[in-house]
Amino acid sequence: MEKIIFVYNATSGKANAFLDSLHKIMSPATYECPLCHLTHGPVSEKRRWKEFRENLALETEFLHRDEFQKSYASKFGYQFEFPVILMAQPKGLELLVSAAELRSFENVEELIRVLNERI
């Protein structure tokens, strides 16, 4: 079964989420996760992104980089620059949107347009 895996360039955990939120508020230009920046405001998910995500026909999985490395990299040896969006298929993981592409998007609408084109 196919599913889309969204991997944030952030570490899991409540303390890290709090620090990430502070970083986004205090210094958004230096925040290192363009996927987070596109899909979330300082404290919550953006409405447009939530609508898109909830209406996807495919299963989705949202992971922090440490969770991805624990669940996938140890089994399959995948090496990706984070953040990244992947398509999980029976034959393995396929790159949907790279970190470089995510850095180039100016808003969530660009991300949604590219995802719609590729899935």
Side-chain angles (χ1 to χ4, degrees):
M1 173 178 235
E2 292 184 337
K3 80 175 161 180
I4 303 174
I5 304 171
F6 297 85
V7 186
Y8 294 100
N9 188 26
T11 305
S12 62
K14 289 181 182 184
N16 289 317
F18 175 74
L19 292 173
D20 286 344
S21 291
L22 272 178
H23 191 165
K24 285 187 241 179
I25 293 167
M26 302 299 288
S27 184
T30 64
Y31 190 69
E32 297 181 1
C33 184
L35 180 57
C36 297
H37 178 75
L38 291 167
T39 62
H40 289 73
V43 293
S44 65
E45 188 174 26
K46 292 180 180 177
R47 187 181 78 232
R48 176 66 181 108
W49 174 251
K50 184 176 181 180
E51 291 168 1
F52 170 77
R53 177 184 57 73
E54 289 177 344
N55 290 302
L56 276 171
L58 294 170
E59 179 183 347
T60 57
E61 183 174 17
F62 293 85
L63 301 169
H64 296 89
R65 69 176 170 256
D66 59 310
E67 295 165 328
F68 173 81
Q69 290 166 334
K70 183 178 179 183
S71 296
Y72 290 92
S74 62
K75 295 178 189 174
F76 306 106
Y78 291 116
Q79 298 292 319
F80 295 104
E81 179 185 357
F82 301 113
V84 67
I85 302 173
L86 306 164
M87 176 70 77
Q89 301 176 342
K91 63 182 180 180
L93 298 177
E94 176 186 322
L95 182 66
L96 276 182
V97 183
S98 70
E101 285 180 289
L102 288 166
R103 286 190 292 272
S104 75
F105 297 149
E106 292 188 23
N107 56 51
V108 73
E109 292 301 328
E110 287 185 64
L111 172 59
I112 290 170
R113 180 185 52 77
V114 167
L115 286 171
N116 280 329
E117 290 170 0
R118 296 181 184 176
I119 54 177

